[in-house]
Amino acid sequence: MAKHQTPLLDQLESGPWPSFVSDLKQEAEARAKNEKNIEYQIPQDVVEDLLGVLELSFKDGVTHWKHGGIVGVFGYGGGVIGRYCDQPQQFPGVAHFHTMRVAQPAGKFYTTKYLNDLCDLWEFRGSGLTNMHGSTGDIIFLGTTTPQLEEIFFELTHTHNQDLGGSGSNLRTPSDCIGEARCEYACYDTQALCHYLTNEYQDELHRPAFPYKFKFKFDGCPNCCVASIARADLSFVGTWKDDIQVDQDAVKAYVDGTYPPNAGAHSGRDWGAFDIKAEVIDRCPTGCMKYENGKLEIDNRECTRCMHCINVMPRALKPGKEKGLSILAGAKAPILDGAQMGSLLVPFIKVEEPYDEIKEVIEAVWDWWMEEGKNRERLGELMKRQGFQRLLEMTNIKPVAQHVKEPRTNPYIFWKEDEVPGGFERDIKEYRKNHQR
Amino acid sequence: MAKHQTPLLDQLESGPWPSFVSDLKQEAEARAKNEKNIEYQIPQDVVEDLLGVLELSFKDGVTHWKHGGIVGVFGYGGGVIGRYCDQPQQFPGVAHFHTMRVAQPAGKFYTTKYLNDLCDLWEFRGSGLTNMHGSTGDIIFLGTTTPQLEEIFFELTHTHNQDLGGSGSNLRTPSDCIGEARCEYACYDTQALCHYLTNEYQDELHRPAFPYKFKFKFDGCPNCCVASIARADLSFVGTWKDDIQVDQDAVKAYVDGTYPPNAGAHSGRDWGAFDIKAEVIDRCPTGCMKYENGKLEIDNRECTRCMHCINVMPRALKPGKEKGLSILAGAKAPILDGAQMGSLLVPFIKVEEPYDEIKEVIEAVWDWWMEEGKNRERLGELMKRQGFQRLLEMTNIKPVAQHVKEPRTNPYIFWKEDEVPGGFERDIKEYRKNHQR
Amino acid sequence: MAFISSGYNPAEPMKDRITDIGPRSYEEFYPPVIAKNKGKWAYHEILEPGILVHVSETGDEVYTVRVGGCRLMSVTHIREICEIADKHCDGYLRFTTRNNIEFMVDSKDKVEPLKKDLAGRKFAGGSFKFPIGGTGAGVTNIIHTQGWIHCHTPATDASGPVKATMDALFDHFQSMDLPAQVRVSLACCLNMCGAVHCSDIAILGYHRKPPMIEDEYLDKMCEIPLAVAACPTAAIKPVKKTLEDGTEVKTVAVNNERCMYCGNCYTMCPALPLADKEGDGIVIMVGGKVSNRISAPKFSKVAVAFLPNNAPLWPETTAVIKQIIDAYSKDARKYERVGEWAERIGWERFFEKCNLEFTHHLIDDFRDPAYYTWRQTTQFKFTD
Amino acid sequence: MAFISSGYNPAEPMKDRITDIGPRSYEEFYPPVIAKNKGKWAYHEILEPGILVHVSETGDEVYTVRVGGCRLMSVTHIREICEIADKHCDGYLRFTTRNNIEFMVDSKDKVEPLKKDLAGRKFAGGSFKFPIGGTGAGVTNIIHTQGWIHCHTPATDASGPVKATMDALFDHFQSMDLPAQVRVSLACCLNMCGAVHCSDIAILGYHRKPPMIEDEYLDKMCEIPLAVAACPTAAIKPVKKTLEDGTEVKTVAVNNERCMYCGNCYTMCPALPLADKEGDGIVIMVGGKVSNRISAPKFSKVAVAFLPNNAPLWPETTAVIKQIIDAYSKDARKYERVGEWAERIGWERFFEKCNLEFTHHLIDDFRDPAYYTWRQTTQFKFTD
Ligand code: SRM
Ligand code: SRM
Ligand code: SRM
Ligand code: SRM
Ligand code: SF4
Ligand code: SF4
Ligand code: SF4
Ligand code: SF4
Ligand code: SF4
Ligand code: SF4
Ligand code: SF4
Ligand code: SF4
């Protein structure tokens, strides 16, 4: 018999989509049975109490978690989110219910060995509940008690060769799209760069020295499968500089219906025969394509590498050979001043180990932000407050028209004193000699 | 011999475009000669001194006019802009050089009788120089002395049946496009409405009771030939609600080259034969047109009445029959917070004498602005400060999706207390009963 | 239960301490076919919903079976995933950026047994454990956040509405019958832990009541200047109040008129709770995207200002989302994302086609940029 | 010169006073063919540059000959206009919204004599008095403001640069050889008395030095709080200073770093002049429009941050404008306005094609909306 009645939650067990309620119940049951005779280090009924408190929230229409307390592991400024229940008497199993963020491997590939080992640890010292994965990318261990935090960290590092991820005013755990590992569109090795920078900046990740959180995300191409442009203070998006590679025979195979358009992504509906004019040429945002006499022509100078044509005809078109990435800066969620997408900072940069050029940009951005950023001010907000010019100045990047969608519509240009002949200081008396009051 | 040497200005006498320098010189000469023996009421050499002070500005690279003083005619708060030279000893003829704004007739049609009469008055009591017309639309009398202001006003009203226009924190002289008088696109009688409202609101025009200036402009259709959408606190732009009127035979005459596209507006270059697909169908911003089997079809529900197709084929297409106007609010020049275009306030309103519905909108807008507007705050700025919702509320206009280009991207919605069940006041003690601290 | 030490000694925290080792290397985890063909993939094809093949220049192939992950996962469930991967995939698997699980095999004949195995597994309550789908022009997994499971600031739950919505959209998860991919996200408060601000459809928890002020404890629990500074609309000011018992305390006052219930003050100060059963609920936002395909990334726009938290099934929320997806599905062009469709037909037509009411709440009034969202042209469409 | 009274008696200003009569009625001024056919026009055609015919449903026609007006006009010049109108047009004429003059005749045979008469008239210096043109896809008259002729705040002259520019663009005034109409405007300061903020090409006078402060007189000439409040960037604050002679005065201080030289303080306070020979000059803005044709009205964008006031011919200004118009003319599609062209090809390409340098000044940094002008996508074109 379940510890708490959950009539509301129970209604979420039917329906086709995997039911988290069913899963919670199966875990609650497994812990109750404890077939493996585990010496649980946190309450055995933690999951039952979680179901209970959640049912209560469903009834009350509000959360029953208190404002997080400051808990963590020694020497680290992040990786743990403290959490306490506001009904601890009723739900003692979740009185403490802290999460731990475990840094996920780049690309999120796993061996079952590794995952099973983590499960053993977490079942033993935590609730046995996880998020696979958190929105930033970490493996989230969901719910443990304060005394277990150091124990878990110790085992993670000693047994699993695995570190915690970020939280607090730190670099957050970087994440990436699958990229070259299994995607033909990738313009650089996202896993390699993501992993390298994560390790390079471990200090920034674990020891809060920033005004606020800071995120890196790595997308192999402008399709942005890790949504870097929307969710990272610095987004690294693969792109290319030369011509799209075209296989004319394969183009023909699309036109004649041999290959399914967009790799079959639209096969659930009958959209009619593939129409290269309507579906590719006319949808190219720059209008830089032609299909005449069975030949596809691209005016590559006008192409903005939006990926559309490549997505539609992956067997015929490929990104160019001169590959690299664009860096965009300042994306963030809406709080406090409205959401921001990343703004293009470096149009094109090569991706070459040891990534010195990329690191120069990162570190110049950080220097500026650490110097000028206010407490709890994201990079994007600082950019808004001090202006994009300032970011360019501090990163020593030359202003180019690529930096803007359009030039300013207001003429409120700030001039530097040394740009204006004669400077700003003038003698009003001199002026009055020729201009009576 | 000219009073002042003007070697710089003289360089502006050649070249094809009418030279204002030549004209100033001809006027200077005419005054010097005074063939009609006029008893000039302001210095006879006013134009020579104007040339002199302008030459000095060309040399110095700065203006030689002082900050305007407060001069005017009794009982009016506008119509005159005071102006004094900052080198009165050197250029006594322009020591005082005030302008007067004479309210232009709607549509700017004139009889020569009327204009000649004004010339006589202005030659006699002013510099004989004008702007035909000022940017707002007035006839500008450019330069007279303080004592002449009342005299001119007296003669204007008594002899010429003509009033001054606006300046200061008033309604400014409204202006309009030529409209029905000579344009087939007009959706309402701009002159009639402009003239009516100008007279209706004479008090607002002459006696400053507003926080700042306020402008009306009247365009007969969305081509906006008086630029109302960019330059008027309230813009009245003709539009229609039903279907574009199509003459299929005339369409064919365009297609076969009988009629010149766009009424010949592009005839200075060989653009090749008219291509209805490329020039009309594909350029329609909503894509709501088709030309098949020699027939033009318009999906009028999707048409946004941009005028393009009508402009290209004026003999074939005409605005619909159910005509009226849209009202847009808040356009202004960039100072202080950036330029604003008018924002759509009333999507569609009929234009019927005595224009009560239109006046209701105007007066509701004014009531709000006079109540809430700060000193020197334009309507557009107030709209920005208090929000578009507030404008709708105060004008009692129902919010519709037409009011926005797109809904808000931030979720920072302000709720009114009465919209939220239970209101805003809550008892923290009640809350703490279920939520421990 | 007895405390079992990991070896950690609280008296000597630095002893043997290992830090800054970062995540495990991705190279350890690549299945062999991936390790071998990395960077050499020539093309891919979606063979059926949830099943992809990637073909390498070397001629190698990798078949991927993608299954829905409900993200909040128990170790029991993860172990079942591992068991499947051990059985079919040589002990490898991966998770996608939207929390789906990918099982990869290196030849076609391994696909069917895997599929069958996956499709057969169900939870006790009847739901699929491993529904196959989430590829191409359909609906994939909902990116979501903690909600009432773990967070202190939510205005709605996360897992609950997500389950209800995925049930409602399940057909689109298992078919590729939409004009383009439709990405649904949920964030339980406007901190928006996710890409809700640029999703095709976003479910956002939102408070509608200003914070309560716990005068008696505020100064003890919070730093008043931080709370004051936290408010983006300057609605909070420090005040002194006299409690019922006569003690004078330092606390704050909130100008309700200026408050937009963002909860940032509560983040800084636990004595300012906002949550309220009737006040809290859901905002539906639409038309965002992050890919750069055809059009630039777009922010989501508010389409419905408020829907109640009708737990456990959030029927109003799922109904509105269905309405939008149905209208979109019927009307949009191939490859056209929700936002691109709305922009092409015009937002006035979007509201009409989706049968949604336009209310004053949807007009932007936040700071200077609001102005640019109003309609500065005479171009508009008439609606009924 | 003796004072001659109009009849006005300063001692009794209200005696016989006529006020609030407004402008004369337009109906008095319509030529008969207009009065008769108003509201009945069926179509029009531009027969040649500057010559329009409008045809009425009644069969009536009106031929319009449009000529350039230089706006700053003497009574002598106006009388000459009237003389022409008397001779050819039964004593009627009109002015356009861009300060051109329109002579209308009611039959075709009256056009040629009128044209000939107009074309033959020249000023002593050689310029045309009445150049015919300004219609269709060309350049029409420049809307402009007062400049050094009359205003106290200009950062450049108006009539001078306008004459220089119209001379440079004269061919386009007299032909219709551009892709669409190109509207050039000038405002001598950023009060922008005109539609400079949404013109295809805008010439804008701009200061570049913060105001001088006339400490000695400031408090006598101005209300300090108004001057302080006038500043949109809060660069001004009230201060006390001790003058050389030891007197203490109330005055203001300007934070030069925050000043963007808008001159609004000077508008409120004459003791804060900004004008400066080297500081002042011209900003070129491009790509604005007001018509709703095809695309919505657009604001002009800054394309060149500064050009010097090289009177009397402003050669740098006319050169840049020519450059832009030439590139536009060569590259744009039929019906495409300058701004539409720039948006289609991308602003990065615009700068390249017009051979203009992109400098940091062109990046918006004014308040929150600035953000939306930066590039929030990976879509861009490479330039050389
Ligand atoms: C766990 C996680 C949600 C999830 O269920 O996946 C999460 C949970 C919290 N986030 Fe987040 N954020 C999480 C990813 C994000 C993301 C998404 C991302 O990183 O890609 C964002 C939007 C992107 C961004 O950073 O702008 C995000 C934007 C925020 C914000 C708003 C920050 C801003 O500058 O706009 C806050 C507020 C704050 O920092 O006080 C916040 C705060 C929080 C806090 C710490 C609550 C708070 O106010 O202190 C939440 C703790 C919840 C809990 O009790 O478990 N979280 N948060 C995600 C981290 C898991 C992981 O490490 O993988
Ligand atoms: C005469 C005229 C320019 C011209 O040469 O044509 C003019 C001249 C002045 N304008 Fe203007 N404005 C003139 C049309 C405009 C327009 C255009 C329009 O009305 O369509 C605008 C832009 C539209 C608008 O109103 O936003 C305009 C926006 C300004 C502004 C900025 C107002 C704002 O809110 O953005 C100022 C500044 C001020 O009011 O202090 C201004 C101020 C001035 C002052 C009074 C200077 C001042 O700071 O006190 C100028 C006096 C010049 C002089 O000495 O002759 N003038 N002013 C125009 C009026 C003539 C007429 O009545 O026909
Ligand atoms: C597996 C995954 C990457 C990963 O590292 O985990 C992935 C994999 C692929 N993406 Fe993606 N995308 C993945 C998340 C995304 C995201 C991020 C997100 O949704 O949060 C985006 C941006 C979404 C947005 O714009 O809002 C994304 C936007 C795209 C696009 C652009 C589609 C568009 O119409 O805008 C393509 C191109 C296409 O579909 O043809 C694409 C294409 C692809 C391809 C075809 C790439 C390839 O050649 O292998 C992959 C299979 C597509 C499919 O599932 O139909 N992928 N893709 C992610 C699967 C998530 C899931 O479980 O459903
Ligand atoms: C006479 C005048 C109205 C008046 O009341 O004085 C006028 C008259 C006509 N306009 Fe205009 N427009 C006049 C100022 C304008 C303005 C205002 C301005 O420039 O300050 C605009 C908005 C400009 C802008 O968008 O920046 C304007 C935008 C148009 C358009 C839209 C063109 C476009 O491509 O965007 C049309 C349609 C067309 O040209 O086919 C139009 C069409 C017309 C037509 C064809 C209407 C008609 O059927 O008679 C008239 C002759 C056009 C021609 O000259 O080529 N008229 N027209 C104005 C002449 C000014 C001048 O002397 O040059
Ligand atoms: S972002 Fe590009 S490279 Fe990365 S997985 Fe998506 S499509 Fe492939
Ligand atoms: S990538 Fe995009 S812009 Fe480039 S050719 Fe293809 S569709 Fe056009
Ligand atoms: S705005 Fe329209 S109605 Fe008025 S003149 Fe221009 S084209 Fe004609
Ligand atoms: S008026 Fe504009 S939107 Fe309407 S049919 Fe014509 S071109 Fe299309
Ligand atoms: S969105 Fe808000 S409520 Fe949800 S997890 Fe993030 S911070 Fe907590
Ligand atoms: S909820 Fe937000 S707006 Fe309201 S008082 Fe708190 S911080 Fe300010
Ligand atoms: S633009 Fe400026 S300088 Fe020119 S007339 Fe207007 S206020 Fe005066
Ligand atoms: S010029 Fe403008 S920005 Fe500078 S001090 Fe004066 S008002 Fe302020």
Side-chain angles (χ1 to χ4, degrees), chain B residues 17 23 27 41 59 65 67 83 97 112 123 151 158 160 181-182 184 191 207 262-263 279 337, chain D residues 2 6 16 20 24 30 41-42 44 46 74 76 79 86 102 148 150 163 266 277 293 335 367:
Chain B
W17 188 250
D23 189 17
E27 192 60 25
Q41 296 293 299
K59 196 168 131 275
W65 300 106
H67 207 280
R83 190 63 70 216
F97 199 64
T112 53
E123 178 170 42
E151 307 299 324
H158 287 77
H160 303 272
R182 203 195 60 204
E184 69 270 30
Q191 269 107 74
R207 286 164 206 91
N262 215 102
E279 298 186 34
D337 276 328
Chain D
S6 60
D16 287 343
D20 298 289
R24 292 273 284 268
Y30 282 150
W41 298 106
H44 77 285
I46 308 176
S74 69
T76 304
R79 288 198 183 104
D86 283 336
E102 292 187 332
W148 296 334
H150 199 266
K163 162 74 174 145
Y266 180 57
K277 185 176 184 134
R293 182 179 192 167
Y335 308 115
R367 310 243 163 119

Side-chain angles (χ1 to χ4, degrees), chain C residues 235-256:
Chain C
I236 305 184
K237 61 166 197 261
V239 291
K240 285 191 180 138
K241 278 194 206 158
T242 311
L243 300 180
E244 279 170 24
D245 68 1
T247 30
E248 205 183 58
V249 292
K250 286 194 210 158
T251 179
V252 302
V254 171
N255 178 346
N256 286 352

Side-chain angles (χ1 to χ4, degrees), chain B residues 91 139 201 256 295 317 322 324 326 357 372 379 388 402:
Chain B
F91 308 106
I139 299 169
Y201 296 124
D256 70 19
K295 224 187 132 202
L317 305 182
E322 195 185 341
S326 300
E357 274 188 278
E372 297 284 339
L379 175 63
F388 197 81
Q402 281 79 1

Side-chain angles (χ1 to χ4, degrees), chain A residues 240-247 288-289 296 298 300 303-307 309-310 316-321:
Chain A
W240 65 94
K241 219 176 168 167
D242 53 349
D243 295 356
I244 291 176
Q245 304 179 56
V246 185
D247 172 343
C288 71
M289 310 182 86
L296 183 72
I298 303 176
N300 281 280
C303 164
T304 53
R305 302 168 310 289
C306 83
M307 293 296 298
C309 56
I310 300 177
L317 305 182
K318 292 198 184 337
K321 292 178 172 160

Side-chain angles (χ1 to χ4, degrees), chain B residues 211 368-377 382 385-386:
Chain B
W368 176 51
W369 181 53
M370 287 170 73
E371 181 78 27
E372 297 284 339
K374 296 187 198 164
N375 180 35
R376 278 172 65 82
E377 184 174 53
L382 175 62
R385 181 163 62 83
Q386 296 203 344

Side-chain angles (χ1 to χ4, degrees), chain B residues 177-179 183-187 190 219-226 307:
Chain B
C177 80
I178 192 169
C183 178
E184 69 270 30
Y185 301 146
C187 296
T190 50
D219 269 313
C221 83
N223 280 332
C224 278
C225 295
V226 77
M307 294 295 296

